[in-house]
Amino acid sequence: MIHRSLFSRCFLPSLRLPSSSSKLGGGCHGDAFRAISSMPEPCRSSPISDGDSCDFDWDSLGFGLMPTDYMYIMKCAINESFERGQISRYGNIELSPSAGVLNYGQGLFEGLKAYRKDDGGVLLFRPHENALRMRAGADRMCMPSPTVEQFVDAVKQTTIANRRWVPPPGKGSLYIRPLLIGTGPILGLAPSPEYTFLVFASPVRNYFKEGSAPLNLYVENEFDRASRGGTGGVKSISNYAPVLKAITRAKSRGFSDVLYLDSVNKRDVEEVSSCNIFIVKGNVISTPATHGTILPGVTRKSIIDIARDRGYEVEERAINVEEVLDAREVFCTGTAVGVAPVGSITCMDRRIEYQTGAETTCQELYSTLVGIQTGTIEDKMGWTVEIC
């Protein structure tokens, strides 16, 4: 929950998005976005001081939107390239009722995090991977996309501008949400004539209400998350609203989330609503292969590499639901959830419980990942980017 005094400081005026015709100069410059105030000074690589962190009860932090100070915006017309964006005050945006994103769902989003180190510095985790995934998604959705360099630079600028919202070590992280949406007006079914790339951020802690407690999943037999030839393998905004029905129903029955099966045979597991899934049997860790219906998660990719580095055999393949029910351990991975243990899975009327706790493979991989993300374990992979 946002404290009233904190919300008052963070609620800022609306920002109107001008059309491409109102931009200054040629190309797709973002100069038309006038910053309400200048960007803060670059932060110092020193322990947190009163100027570097908000006066906020970080122990009360959950996973909900807490408006921060600044966002990044860059615009582009169709068949052109993004060129330059700008940091502006966080606020509402104005869209035409006929905007492509509102009428046809032409949009993508990403999610990544910034972590506060013990010495006060701030680390980003694998932003280049998110940039590459957005570009792949943009190609699928017929949208122009920022280059990898533009994407990473925008994330860096947004994080630096909102550095006081990066929680202290062990108290959470700054969740960064890049968006690529069709904002130009369109009536017939066609690509939008104009696009906006926007990055905002919010401090967060645990995604699930259970916190770090094991999850209880329900195998969904009625609704599908994705189908062959669809957009399940990219982070399209249109992938998420359709799962709300299944999630709401599952949570009303006391479950944490839903585990989806393939849409053709209803036999192989695919993923949970917002995260990938892994099973553990002995020294073998298995996860469903990404063949177009499963999102290739950045955390998923990282856990696979960490597990192999620690001597585990990792398989990416089709996994029958019966194999999942016979596993020793099950866990989920994702930017929002991190690495979350699964305590039980219910399939029809059958409930299976799994090993959880301190001595599990899940905990071993989680501790290693978090150590790299927060700088307490040496990053031999070259995954982190220190920005301030």
Side-chain angles (χ1 to χ4, degrees):
M1 178 177 293
I2 303 171
H3 292 295
R4 185 177 300 274
S5 60
L6 185 62
F7 182 79
S8 299
R9 294 202 306 272
C10 299
F11 183 79
L12 298 161
S14 298
L15 177 69
R16 180 171 181 171
L17 297 187
S19 65
S20 293
S21 61
S22 67
K23 63 182 179 291
L24 303 181
C28 304
H29 290 188
D31 301 61
F33 298 104
R34 179 177 300 172
I36 296 176
S37 67
S38 60
M39 183 174 168
E41 299 175 1
C43 65
R44 304 178 301 278
S45 296
S46 60
I48 301 172
S49 65
D50 291 340
D52 289 329
S53 184
C54 289
D55 181 16
F56 177 69
D57 178 13
W58 295 109
D59 290 326
S60 67
L61 188 64
F63 198 99
L65 178 65
M66 180 177 294
T68 53
D69 301 323
Y70 296 92
M71 61 185 182
Y72 179 97
I73 303 176
M74 181 165 58
K75 292 178 70 70
C76 176
I78 193 170
N79 297 323
E80 296 187 19
S81 300
F82 287 99
E83 292 187 15
R84 186 172 61 196
Q86 186 169 321
I87 287 288
S88 297
R89 283 282 189 175
Y90 179 88
N92 294 335
I93 61 175
E94 185 174 288
L95 291 175
S96 165
S98 58
V101 66
L102 298 181
N103 290 265
Y104 301 116
Q106 195 183 23
L108 298 161
F109 74 90
E110 280 295 328
L112 63 158
K113 289 179 177 178
Y115 301 86
R116 181 80 70 172
K117 296 172 60 182
D118 289 337
D119 66 2
V122 175
L123 294 175
L124 293 172
F125 186 71
R126 308 194 77 174
H128 295 81
E129 291 293 329
N130 294 93
L132 289 169
R133 188 169 65 181
M134 175 168 276
R135 288 184 63 80
D139 180 69
R140 175 65 177 83
M141 301 291 286
C142 298
M143 306 169 74
S145 178
T147 66
V148 172
E149 292 75 18
Q150 287 173 326
F151 180 102
V152 174
D153 180 65
V155 169
K156 286 180 179 179
Q157 288 194 48
T158 305
T159 305
I160 291 171
N162 294 299
R163 68 183 183 271
R164 72 191 189 100
W165 292 100
V166 182
K171 301 295 184 180
S173 57
L174 184 69
Y175 184 86
I176 303 159
R177 172 61 62 83
L179 287 166
L180 179 61
I181 54 177
T183 45
I186 189 78
L187 184 60
L189 181 55
S192 173
E194 182 180 272
Y195 298 87
T196 298
F197 175 64
L198 186 151
V199 186
F200 68 93
S202 176
V204 298
R205 204 160 189 178
N206 294 318
Y207 180 77
F208 289 106
K209 69 176 183 179
E210 291 87 348
S212 58
L215 307 179
N216 299 299
L217 303 180
Y218 179 78
V219 176
E220 177 57 52
N221 289 294
E222 180 181 356
F223 299 109
D224 300 326
R225 179 196 167 271
S227 60
R228 294 179 184 178
T231 58
V234 300
K235 211 164 176 62
S236 166
I237 62 173
S238 57
N239 290 343
Y240 292 84
V243 306
L244 296 177
K245 182 75 171 180
I247 294 175
T248 301
R249 186 170 66 179
K251 290 187 175 181
S252 71
R253 298 173 179 175
F255 297 102
S256 309
D257 210 328
V258 172
L259 175 59
Y260 293 91
L261 302 176
D262 73 281
S263 63
V264 177
N265 300 309
K266 293 289 186 178
R267 180 184 61 202
D268 296 334
V269 297
E270 294 214 322
E271 62 178 279
V272 182
S273 302
S274 59
C275 47
N276 298 113
I277 191 162
F278 289 76
I279 66 172
V280 183
K281 293 182 179 181
N283 196 53
V284 180
I285 300 174
S286 304
T287 189
T290 55
H291 290 317
T293 57
I294 298 172
L295 187 71
V298 176
T299 309
R300 172 188 181 276
K301 183 177 183 179
S302 304
I303 286 297
I304 288 173
D305 289 343
I306 290 172
R308 286 174 173 158
D309 185 64
R310 298 185 71 86
Y312 289 94
E313 178 184 348
V314 181
E315 301 175 335
E316 297 179 73
R317 58 176 178 82
I319 301 175
N320 188 282
V321 66
E322 290 298 325
E323 286 190 71
V324 178
L325 299 179
D326 191 45
R328 185 188 78 215
E329 285 183 53
V330 178
F331 61 89
C332 298
T333 65
T335 296
V337 307
V339 182
V342 174
S344 74
I345 293 179
T346 299
C347 182
M348 304 297 284
D349 295 326
R350 183 181 176 190
R351 175 187 165 97
I352 304 297
E353 296 187 350
Y354 301 97
Q355 181 179 341
T356 60
E359 302 301 321
T360 58
T361 299
C362 172
Q363 183 61 41
E364 175 188 355
L365 299 177
Y366 166 79
S367 298
T368 303
L369 177 67
V370 171
I372 294 172
Q373 290 172 330
T374 58
T376 59
I377 292 178
E378 181 183 358
D379 177 17
K380 298 179 180 179
M381 307 287 194
W383 289 342
T384 57
V385 177
E386 185 158 11
I387 56 173
C388 55

